[in-house]
PDB file of all heavy atoms in Angstrom:
ATOM      1  N   SER L 362      -0.112  12.743   9.324  1.00 69.00           N
ATOM      2  CA  SER L 362       0.419  12.651  10.674  1.00 69.00           C
ATOM      3  C   SER L 362       0.135  11.263  11.306  1.00 69.00           C
ATOM      4  O   SER L 362      -0.784  10.574  10.928  1.00 69.00           O
ATOM      5  CB  SER L 362      -0.163  13.731  11.550  1.00 69.00           C
ATOM      6  OG  SER L 362      -1.573  13.603  11.607  1.00 69.00           O
ATOM      7  N   PRO L 364      -0.742   9.176  14.790  1.00 56.00           N
ATOM      8  CA  PRO L 364      -1.821   8.568  14.010  1.00 56.00           C
ATOM      9  C   PRO L 364      -2.778   9.630  13.513  1.00 56.00           C
ATOM     10  O   PRO L 364      -2.744  10.749  13.977  1.00 56.00           O
ATOM     11  CB  PRO L 364      -2.483   7.616  15.039  1.00 56.00           C
ATOM     12  CG  PRO L 364      -2.289   8.317  16.346  1.00 56.00           C
ATOM     13  CD  PRO L 364      -0.974   9.046  16.243  1.00 56.00           C
ATOM     14  N   LEU L 365      -3.609   9.265  12.598  1.00 56.00           N
ATOM     15  CA  LEU L 365      -4.569  10.242  12.068  1.00 56.00           C
ATOM     16  C   LEU L 365      -5.532  10.655  13.149  1.00 56.00           C
ATOM     17  O   LEU L 365      -6.112   9.820  13.828  1.00 56.00           O
ATOM     18  CB  LEU L 365      -5.337   9.668  10.869  1.00 56.00           C
ATOM     19  CG  LEU L 365      -4.504   9.535   9.582  1.00 56.00           C
ATOM     20  CD1 LEU L 365      -5.336   8.890   8.510  1.00 56.00           C
ATOM     21  CD2 LEU L 365      -3.997  10.861   9.110  1.00 56.00           C
ATOM     22  N   ASP L 366      -5.681  11.944  13.299  1.00 60.00           N
ATOM     23  CA  ASP L 366      -6.556  12.461  14.334  1.00 60.00           C
ATOM     24  C   ASP L 366      -7.852  12.974  13.663  1.00 60.00           C
ATOM     25  O   ASP L 366      -7.788  13.758  12.783  1.00 60.00           O
ATOM     26  CB  ASP L 366      -5.848  13.626  15.045  1.00 60.00           C
ATOM     27  CG  ASP L 366      -6.622  14.132  16.259  1.00 60.00           C
ATOM     28  OD1 ASP L 366      -7.744  13.681  16.478  1.00 60.00           O
ATOM     29  OD2 ASP L 366      -6.054  15.003  16.947  1.00 60.00           O
ATOM     30  N   PRO L 367      -9.017  12.504  14.142  1.00 60.00           N
ATOM     31  CA  PRO L 367     -10.256  12.944  13.528  1.00 60.00           C
ATOM     32  C   PRO L 367     -10.512  14.447  13.728  1.00 60.00           C
ATOM     33  O   PRO L 367     -11.299  15.000  13.007  1.00 60.00           O
ATOM     34  CB  PRO L 367     -11.350  12.105  14.190  1.00 60.00           C
ATOM     35  CG  PRO L 367     -10.698  11.353  15.277  1.00 60.00           C
ATOM     36  CD  PRO L 367      -9.205  11.509  15.178  1.00 60.00           C
ATOM     37  N   LYS L 368      -9.851  15.050  14.700  1.00 63.00           N
ATOM     38  CA  LYS L 368     -10.055  16.501  14.917  1.00 63.00           C
ATOM     39  C   LYS L 368      -9.305  17.348  13.911  1.00 63.00           C
ATOM     40  O   LYS L 368      -9.652  18.485  13.664  1.00 63.00           O
ATOM     41  CB  LYS L 368      -9.607  16.857  16.348  1.00 63.00           C
ATOM     42  CG  LYS L 368     -10.417  16.156  17.417  1.00 63.00           C
ATOM     43  CD  LYS L 368      -9.842  16.411  18.782  1.00 63.00           C
ATOM     44  CE  LYS L 368     -10.538  15.504  19.783  1.00 63.00           C
ATOM     45  NZ  LYS L 368      -9.706  15.049  20.828  1.00 63.00           N
ATOM     46  N   ILE L 369      -8.235  16.795  13.348  1.00 65.00           N
ATOM     47  CA  ILE L 369      -7.452  17.551  12.351  1.00 65.00           C
ATOM     48  C   ILE L 369      -8.090  17.305  10.965  1.00 65.00           C
ATOM     49  O   ILE L 369      -8.242  16.158  10.559  1.00 65.00           O
ATOM     50  CB  ILE L 369      -5.995  17.075  12.343  1.00 65.00           C
ATOM     51  CG1 ILE L 369      -5.378  17.338  13.710  1.00 65.00           C
ATOM     52  CG2 ILE L 369      -5.196  17.790  11.267  1.00 65.00           C
ATOM     53  CD1 ILE L 369      -3.978  16.769  13.874  1.00 65.00           C
ATOM     54  N   PRO L 370      -8.474  18.352  10.283  1.00 68.00           N
ATOM     55  CA  PRO L 370      -9.120  18.154   8.972  1.00 68.00           C
ATOM     56  C   PRO L 370      -8.165  17.569   7.948  1.00 68.00           C
ATOM     57  O   PRO L 370      -6.983  17.939   7.904  1.00 68.00           O
ATOM     58  CB  PRO L 370      -9.588  19.566   8.586  1.00 68.00           C
ATOM     59  CG  PRO L 370      -8.738  20.498   9.390  1.00 68.00           C
ATOM     60  CD  PRO L 370      -8.340  19.747  10.625  1.00 68.00           C
ATOM     61  N   LEU L 389     -12.102   7.859   8.969  1.00 69.00           N
ATOM     62  CA  LEU L 389     -11.751   9.279   9.077  1.00 69.00           C
ATOM     63  C   LEU L 389     -12.131  10.058   7.806  1.00 69.00           C
ATOM     64  O   LEU L 389     -12.236  11.275   7.821  1.00 69.00           O
ATOM     65  CB  LEU L 389     -10.252   9.441   9.341  1.00 69.00           C
ATOM     66  CG  LEU L 389      -9.777   8.852  10.668  1.00 69.00           C
ATOM     67  CD1 LEU L 389      -8.266   8.944  10.759  1.00 69.00           C
ATOM     68  CD2 LEU L 389     -10.414   9.603  11.830  1.00 69.00           C
ATOM     69  N   GLN L 392     -15.390  12.680   6.941  1.00 66.00           N
ATOM     70  CA  GLN L 392     -15.439  14.152   7.001  1.00 66.00           C
ATOM     71  C   GLN L 392     -15.251  14.793   5.623  1.00 66.00           C
ATOM     72  O   GLN L 392     -15.492  15.967   5.457  1.00 66.00           O
ATOM     73  CB  GLN L 392     -14.398  14.693   7.981  1.00 66.00           C
ATOM     74  CG  GLN L 392     -12.953  14.327   7.634  1.00 66.00           C
ATOM     75  CD  GLN L 392     -11.974  14.850   8.630  1.00 66.00           C
ATOM     76  OE1 GLN L 392     -11.980  16.025   8.899  1.00 66.00           O
ATOM     77  NE2 GLN L 392     -11.133  13.974   9.176  1.00 66.00           N
TER      78      GLN L 392
END
Side-chain angles (χ1 to χ4, degrees):
S362 61
L365 287 177
D366 187 355
K368 297 173 189 146
I369 299 173
L389 296 174
Q392 60 180 306

